[in-house]
Amino acid sequence: MDTPGFPSGTLDEDGYPIWLSEMAEEEPNAILHLVRDMSPDEVLRGLEADPSAAVPCTLPAERPKGVSMAKAAFGSDSRAMSVLLAGRIGGWTFVYDDAGATVAIGGLPILRRILGAAAPTEVPESAPEGGWDATSDPAEVLSAAGGPAITLHECINGLTSLTYAVNGRAVFRTNSDEVDGPFEDELPAEVRAADDAAGTIAELAFEPGERDPSAVARFACALAGASWTMADLRAAPLRVVELH
């Protein structure tokens, strides 16, 4: 299976970038951050993780059952809120968050209180003033410190969303409900090229002429030229760190 930007062997049977589907749990709530011209340490720090706590790792030879590749690489007995796997291929650093804790910069205190609360719907006492409204978009924060940044969130409810930011400002957003367009704003050239590279896999679409559900993930990876395989990841220096 392939598209203009993803040659044979880089997509799984569902049209999803194979390195991401191999990384995830069976029902993922995962986030991928891709940032150009920043080191893994810088990206981890921007995501409120401690780079000094990150340790080198080797990915398992096969996809583990019941846990993500990141957690298996750290130690499947981890009780962390999320395990972050960081590496760099070419000019792009990636951080894979296996449980979606980096959905918002400034949101970790809120998540800690929610996960530890008996009543998850209560507003956490330690939340920033304004709650989630006071947090920041990760792609915007990372792009303000480095080059273009992409955040891909595959939510457990089945919605996959994408934010692409440049110089601290989101210039394009879409999700798996809206990826067919039409997009309201004129697309930057690199977004238009990634849209073309992501392509359409007609036999996987729900309706004729619609994009298939994996198109947003291909779109995000195409923006970074990340048509990678697990062999590409295993050849890169990788580190993992827990978020508690």
Side-chain angles (χ1 to χ4, degrees):
M1 182 174 294
D2 56 4
T3 74
F6 292 84
S8 180
T10 60
L11 299 177
D12 68 13
E13 61 184 9
D14 295 318
Y16 210 85
I18 198 163
W19 69 278
L20 287 180
S21 58
E22 286 293 304
M23 289 276 291
E25 296 183 43
E26 291 183 5
E27 295 183 2
N29 184 42
I31 296 178
L32 170 69
H33 304 280
L34 290 157
V35 191
R36 198 174 73 197
D37 301 332
M38 286 182 75
S39 71
D41 277 6
E42 290 171 325
V43 176
L44 287 171
R45 192 175 296 111
L47 294 172
E48 303 178 290
D50 179 5
S52 68
V55 295
C57 70
T58 301
L59 296 179
E62 297 181 357
R63 181 178 180 178
K65 292 184 178 180
V67 297
S68 69
M69 279 274 193
K71 185 167 287 187
F74 188 89
S76 57
D77 59 346
S78 171
R79 295 294 182 265
M81 186 187 328
S82 277
V83 176
L84 308 186
L85 176 78
R88 184 167 184 166
I89 298 177
W92 289 83
T93 286
F94 67 90
V95 172
Y96 183 85
D97 170 358
D98 77 338
T102 57
V103 66
I105 305 300
L108 288 179
I110 302 175
L111 287 174
R112 289 180 183 122
R113 290 301 302 270
I114 289 175
L115 293 175
T121 56
E122 294 179 0
V123 177
E125 294 177 4
S126 63
E129 184 177 351
W132 287 109
D133 290 339
T135 62
S136 301
D137 182 283
E140 292 182 339
V141 170
L142 294 170
S143 73
I150 302 149
T151 296
L152 176 73
H153 185 189
E154 185 177 11
C155 189
I156 198 168
N157 66 9
L159 186 72
T160 303
S161 60
L162 159 68
T163 300
Y164 173 63
V166 179
N167 295 327
R169 184 177 66 88
V171 297
F172 180 72
R173 300 182 195 270
T174 193
N175 61 54
S176 49
D177 287 343
E178 300 175 351
V179 72
D180 291 322
F183 303 118
E184 293 182 2
D185 301 322
E186 183 177 347
L187 298 181
E190 69 272 23
V191 175
R192 180 67 68 189
D195 186 30
D196 292 340
T200 300
I201 301 176
E203 60 268 31
L204 297 178
F206 293 129
E207 298 289 342
E210 286 187 349
R211 287 285 183 91
D212 59 281
S214 300
V216 174
R218 295 197 303 274
F219 204 137
C221 289
L223 275 165
S227 56
W228 303 329
T229 64
M230 290 304 297
D232 294 321
L233 260 66
R234 290 190 171 94
L238 302 174
R239 296 162 71 206
V240 285
V241 63
E242 293 180 306
L243 277 182
H244 291 278

Short mmCIF file of all heavy atoms in Angstrom, two decimals, residues 137-176:
data_model
loop_
_atom_site.label_atom_id
_atom_site.label_comp_id
_atom_site.label_asym_id
_atom_site.label_seq_id
_atom_site.Cartn_x
_atom_site.Cartn_y
_atom_site.Cartn_z
N ASP A 137 -0.72 25.64 23.35
CA ASP A 137 -0.64 24.60 22.34
C ASP A 137 0.82 24.15 22.18
O ASP A 137 1.71 24.98 21.99
CB ASP A 137 -1.16 25.17 21.01
CG ASP A 137 -1.15 24.15 19.90
OD1 ASP A 137 -0.07 23.87 19.36
OD2 ASP A 137 -2.24 23.64 19.58
N PRO A 138 1.09 22.85 22.27
CA PRO A 138 2.48 22.39 22.18
C PRO A 138 3.19 22.77 20.88
O PRO A 138 4.35 23.18 20.91
CB PRO A 138 2.36 20.86 22.30
CG PRO A 138 1.06 20.62 22.96
CD PRO A 138 0.16 21.74 22.52
N ALA A 139 2.51 22.65 19.75
CA ALA A 139 3.16 22.98 18.49
C ALA A 139 3.54 24.46 18.44
O ALA A 139 4.62 24.81 17.94
CB ALA A 139 2.25 22.63 17.32
N GLU A 140 2.67 25.31 18.97
CA GLU A 140 2.99 26.74 18.99
C GLU A 140 4.18 27.02 19.89
O GLU A 140 5.08 27.80 19.53
CB GLU A 140 1.76 27.53 19.43
CG GLU A 140 0.62 27.48 18.42
CD GLU A 140 -0.58 28.30 18.84
OE1 GLU A 140 -0.72 28.59 20.05
OE2 GLU A 140 -1.36 28.68 17.96
N VAL A 141 4.20 26.41 21.07
CA VAL A 141 5.31 26.63 22.01
C VAL A 141 6.61 26.14 21.42
O VAL A 141 7.64 26.85 21.46
CB VAL A 141 5.01 25.92 23.35
CG1 VAL A 141 6.25 25.93 24.25
CG2 VAL A 141 3.84 26.59 24.06
N LEU A 142 6.62 24.95 20.85
CA LEU A 142 7.85 24.38 20.31
C LEU A 142 8.34 25.15 19.09
O LEU A 142 9.54 25.36 18.92
CB LEU A 142 7.64 22.91 19.97
CG LEU A 142 7.38 21.99 21.17
CD1 LEU A 142 6.95 20.61 20.70
CD2 LEU A 142 8.61 21.90 22.06
N SER A 143 7.43 25.60 18.24
CA SER A 143 7.84 26.34 17.04
C SER A 143 8.36 27.73 17.38
O SER A 143 9.12 28.31 16.61
CB SER A 143 6.69 26.43 16.04
OG SER A 143 5.70 27.34 16.46
N ALA A 144 7.93 28.27 18.52
CA ALA A 144 8.44 29.57 18.94
C ALA A 144 9.91 29.47 19.35
O ALA A 144 10.67 30.44 19.25
CB ALA A 144 7.62 30.12 20.10
N ALA A 145 10.32 28.28 19.81
CA ALA A 145 11.70 28.08 20.26
C ALA A 145 12.60 27.49 19.18
O ALA A 145 13.82 27.58 19.26
CB ALA A 145 11.72 27.18 21.49
N GLY A 146 11.98 26.84 18.17
CA GLY A 146 12.77 26.19 17.12
C GLY A 146 12.16 26.41 15.76
O GLY A 146 11.61 27.47 15.47
N GLY A 147 12.27 25.39 14.93
CA GLY A 147 11.69 25.46 13.59
C GLY A 147 10.23 25.07 13.59
O GLY A 147 9.59 25.00 14.66
N PRO A 148 9.67 24.81 12.43
CA PRO A 148 8.27 24.39 12.35
C PRO A 148 8.01 23.18 13.25
O PRO A 148 8.89 22.32 13.42
CB PRO A 148 8.09 24.04 10.87
CG PRO A 148 9.13 24.85 10.16
CD PRO A 148 10.30 24.90 11.09
N ALA A 149 6.81 23.11 13.81
CA ALA A 149 6.46 22.04 14.73
C ALA A 149 5.09 21.47 14.38
O ALA A 149 4.20 22.19 13.94
CB ALA A 149 6.46 22.55 16.17
N ILE A 150 4.95 20.18 14.59
CA ILE A 150 3.72 19.45 14.29
C ILE A 150 3.32 18.66 15.52
O ILE A 150 4.17 18.02 16.15
CB ILE A 150 3.96 18.47 13.12
CG1 ILE A 150 4.44 19.21 11.87
CG2 ILE A 150 2.70 17.67 12.82
CD1 ILE A 150 5.35 18.39 10.99
N THR A 151 2.05 18.71 15.86
CA THR A 151 1.51 17.85 16.91
C THR A 151 0.38 17.03 16.33
O THR A 151 -0.55 17.58 15.75
CB THR A 151 1.01 18.67 18.12
OG1 THR A 151 2.11 19.36 18.72
CG2 THR A 151 0.37 17.76 19.16
N LEU A 152 0.49 15.72 16.47
CA LEU A 152 -0.54 14.78 16.01
C LEU A 152 -1.08 14.07 17.23
O LEU A 152 -0.32 13.45 17.98
CB LEU A 152 0.06 13.76 15.04
CG LEU A 152 -0.87 12.65 14.55
CD1 LEU A 152 -1.88 13.21 13.55
CD2 LEU A 152 -0.08 11.50 13.94
N HIS A 153 -2.39 14.15 17.46
CA HIS A 153 -3.02 13.53 18.62
C HIS A 153 -4.02 12.49 18.15
O HIS A 153 -5.01 12.82 17.49
CB HIS A 153 -3.73 14.59 19.47
CG HIS A 153 -4.29 14.04 20.75
ND1 HIS A 153 -5.13 14.78 21.56
CD2 HIS A 153 -4.15 12.85 21.37
CE1 HIS A 153 -5.48 14.06 22.62
NE2 HIS A 153 -4.90 12.88 22.51
N GLU A 154 -3.73 11.24 18.45
CA GLU A 154 -4.67 10.16 18.16
C GLU A 154 -5.42 9.86 19.46
O GLU A 154 -4.90 9.20 20.35
CB GLU A 154 -3.96 8.92 17.64
CG GLU A 154 -4.94 7.83 17.22
CD GLU A 154 -4.26 6.61 16.63
OE1 GLU A 154 -3.03 6.50 16.74
OE2 GLU A 154 -4.97 5.77 16.07
N CYS A 155 -6.63 10.38 19.55
CA CYS A 155 -7.40 10.30 20.79
C CYS A 155 -8.09 8.95 20.90
O CYS A 155 -8.47 8.34 19.88
CB CYS A 155 -8.42 11.44 20.83
SG CYS A 155 -9.25 11.60 22.43
N ILE A 156 -8.30 8.51 22.13
CA ILE A 156 -8.93 7.22 22.35
C ILE A 156 -10.36 7.18 21.84
O ILE A 156 -10.91 6.11 21.58
CB ILE A 156 -8.86 6.85 23.86
CG1 ILE A 156 -9.10 5.36 24.05
CG2 ILE A 156 -9.83 7.71 24.66
CD1 ILE A 156 -8.78 4.87 25.44
N ASN A 157 -10.97 8.35 21.64
CA ASN A 157 -12.35 8.38 21.10
C ASN A 157 -12.40 8.22 19.58
O ASN A 157 -13.47 8.25 18.98
CB ASN A 157 -13.06 9.67 21.52
CG ASN A 157 -12.46 10.92 20.90
OD1 ASN A 157 -11.59 10.85 20.03
ND2 ASN A 157 -12.89 12.08 21.35
N GLY A 158 -11.23 8.05 18.96
CA GLY A 158 -11.17 7.81 17.53
C GLY A 158 -10.86 9.03 16.68
O GLY A 158 -10.59 8.90 15.48
N LEU A 159 -10.89 10.22 17.28
CA LEU A 159 -10.57 11.44 16.53
C LEU A 159 -9.06 11.64 16.48
O LEU A 159 -8.39 11.57 17.51
CB LEU A 159 -11.24 12.65 17.18
CG LEU A 159 -11.10 13.97 16.41
CD1 LEU A 159 -11.97 13.95 15.16
CD2 LEU A 159 -11.47 15.15 17.30
N THR A 160 -8.53 11.90 15.29
CA THR A 160 -7.12 12.20 15.13
C THR A 160 -6.99 13.65 14.68
O THR A 160 -7.62 14.05 13.70
CB THR A 160 -6.47 11.28 14.08
OG1 THR A 160 -6.68 9.92 14.47
CG2 THR A 160 -4.98 11.54 13.97
N SER A 161 -6.20 14.44 15.41
CA SER A 161 -6.09 15.87 15.11
C SER A 161 -4.64 16.25 14.83
O SER A 161 -3.71 15.60 15.28
CB SER A 161 -6.64 16.71 16.26
OG SER A 161 -5.92 16.45 17.46
N LEU A 162 -4.49 17.32 14.07
CA LEU A 162 -3.18 17.79 13.62
C LEU A 162 -3.10 19.30 13.78
O LEU A 162 -4.02 20.03 13.41
CB LEU A 162 -2.99 17.43 12.14
CG LEU A 162 -1.95 18.21 11.32
CD1 LEU A 162 -0.55 17.90 11.81
CD2 LEU A 162 -2.08 17.88 9.84
N THR A 163 -1.98 19.76 14.35
CA THR A 163 -1.67 21.19 14.39
C THR A 163 -0.27 21.38 13.81
O THR A 163 0.66 20.66 14.18
CB THR A 163 -1.69 21.75 15.82
OG1 THR A 163 -2.98 21.56 16.39
CG2 THR A 163 -1.36 23.25 15.82
N TYR A 164 -0.14 22.35 12.90
CA TYR A 164 1.15 22.70 12.31
C TYR A 164 1.40 24.17 12.64
O TYR A 164 0.57 25.03 12.34
CB TYR A 164 1.12 22.48 10.81
CG TYR A 164 2.35 22.97 10.07
CD1 TYR A 164 3.60 22.41 10.31
CD2 TYR A 164 2.24 23.97 9.10
CE1 TYR A 164 4.72 22.85 9.62
CE2 TYR A 164 3.36 24.40 8.40
CZ TYR A 164 4.59 23.84 8.66
OH TYR A 164 5.70 24.28 7.97
N ALA A 165 2.53 24.45 13.28
CA ALA A 165 2.83 25.80 13.73
C ALA A 165 4.20 26.26 13.24
O ALA A 165 5.13 25.46 13.11
CB ALA A 165 2.77 25.89 15.26
N VAL A 166 4.30 27.55 12.98
CA VAL A 166 5.55 28.17 12.53
C VAL A 166 5.73 29.46 13.31
O VAL A 166 4.78 30.26 13.44
CB VAL A 166 5.52 28.47 11.02
CG1 VAL A 166 6.82 29.13 10.58
CG2 VAL A 166 5.28 27.19 10.22
N ASN A 167 6.91 29.66 13.86
CA ASN A 167 7.24 30.89 14.59
C ASN A 167 6.21 31.20 15.68
O ASN A 167 5.81 32.35 15.88
CB ASN A 167 7.34 32.08 13.62
CG ASN A 167 8.49 31.93 12.65
OD1 ASN A 167 9.54 31.38 12.99
ND2 ASN A 167 8.31 32.41 11.42
N GLY A 168 5.79 30.16 16.38
CA GLY A 168 4.92 30.37 17.53
C GLY A 168 3.45 30.53 17.22
O GLY A 168 2.65 30.80 18.12
N ARG A 169 3.07 30.31 15.96
CA ARG A 169 1.66 30.50 15.58
C ARG A 169 1.19 29.32 14.74
O ARG A 169 1.86 28.88 13.82
CB ARG A 169 1.51 31.79 14.76
CG ARG A 169 0.07 32.14 14.40
CD ARG A 169 0.02 33.47 13.66
NE ARG A 169 0.68 33.40 12.35
CZ ARG A 169 0.06 33.04 11.23
NH1 ARG A 169 -1.21 32.69 11.24
NH2 ARG A 169 0.71 33.03 10.08
N ALA A 170 0.02 28.80 15.10
CA ALA A 170 -0.56 27.71 14.31
C ALA A 170 -1.00 28.24 12.96
O ALA A 170 -1.78 29.20 12.89
CB ALA A 170 -1.75 27.11 15.06
N VAL A 171 -0.49 27.65 11.90
CA VAL A 171 -0.86 28.10 10.55
C VAL A 171 -1.80 27.12 9.87
O VAL A 171 -2.38 27.43 8.83
CB VAL A 171 0.40 28.31 9.68
CG1 VAL A 171 1.26 29.42 10.25
CG2 VAL A 171 1.21 27.03 9.53
N PHE A 172 -1.97 25.93 10.47
CA PHE A 172 -2.90 24.96 9.88
C PHE A 172 -3.33 23.97 10.95
O PHE A 172 -2.52 23.48 11.73
CB PHE A 172 -2.25 24.21 8.73
CG PHE A 172 -3.16 23.20 8.08
CD1 PHE A 172 -4.22 23.60 7.29
CD2 PHE A 172 -2.95 21.84 8.28
CE1 PHE A 172 -5.06 22.67 6.70
CE2 PHE A 172 -3.79 20.91 7.69
CZ PHE A 172 -4.85 21.33 6.90
N ARG A 173 -4.62 23.69 10.98
CA ARG A 173 -5.18 22.66 11.85
C ARG A 173 -6.19 21.85 11.05
O ARG A 173 -6.91 22.39 10.21
CB ARG A 173 -5.91 23.27 13.06
CG ARG A 173 -5.07 24.14 13.98
CD ARG A 173 -5.92 24.62 15.14
NE ARG A 173 -5.31 25.70 15.87
CZ ARG A 173 -4.50 25.55 16.91
NH1 ARG A 173 -4.21 24.32 17.32
NH2 ARG A 173 -3.98 26.60 17.53
N THR A 174 -6.26 20.58 11.35
CA THR A 174 -7.32 19.74 10.80
C THR A 174 -7.49 18.53 11.70
O THR A 174 -6.72 18.32 12.64
CB THR A 174 -7.01 19.32 9.35
OG1 THR A 174 -8.19 18.75 8.77
CG2 THR A 174 -5.89 18.29 9.28
N ASN A 175 -8.50 17.74 11.43
CA ASN A 175 -8.70 16.49 12.16
C ASN A 175 -9.38 15.49 11.23
O ASN A 175 -9.71 15.82 10.09
CB ASN A 175 -9.50 16.72 13.45
CG ASN A 175 -10.87 17.28 13.21
OD1 ASN A 175 -11.66 16.73 12.44
ND2 ASN A 175 -11.19 18.41 13.85
N SER A 176 -9.58 14.29 11.73
CA SER A 176 -10.09 13.22 10.87
C SER A 176 -11.54 13.43 10.46
O SER A 176 -12.01 12.75 9.55
CB SER A 176 -9.93 11.87 11.58
OG SER A 176 -10.43 11.90 12.89
#
